[in-house]
Amino acid sequence: DAFEHLGRTWVRSSASGADIGGDPSGLGEEAVLAKRVLDAWRSWDVYPSVFIGGLEAMLLARMPEPESEAAAQTLEAGDE
């Protein structure tokens, strides 16, 4: 929840539209710093790489706001 919230509030608001795997120079300063933290956690082998990848996805991937029209359409498509 924390990484998803951070992604919605300060990382995506400053990013120029880059996603995971994109050129880090296209990310906002906050996203670059957050990726450095995640990269450090990866190098320390403290958490499983799948867990860190999930945090990175929640932080940097584009997701609609929970109450948005796009989120409602996504949920409806999943119910079919």
Side-chain angles (χ1 to χ4, degrees):
D1 287 344
F3 272 73
E4 185 177 351
H5 176 73
L6 287 174
R8 280 199 169 92
T9 56
W10 52 269
V11 172
R12 283 186 213 119
S13 66
S14 66
S16 62
D19 277 329
I20 294 173
D23 180 8
S25 65
L27 296 175
E29 181 180 353
E30 294 91 350
V32 171
L33 294 174
K35 282 184 64 62
R36 285 184 188 164
V37 169
L38 293 171
D39 289 343
W41 289 355
R42 245 186 222 107
S43 70
W44 298 341
D45 270 342
V46 175
Y47 300 107
S49 61
V50 172
F51 176 73
I52 295 173
L55 293 177
E56 188 173 45
M58 286 189 288
L59 184 68
L60 301 174
R62 294 183 186 193
M63 294 185 302
E65 291 295 327
E67 293 81 26
S68 71
E69 179 73 23
Q73 290 174 354
T74 301
L75 289 173
E76 289 172 5
D79 290 339
E80 293 176 354

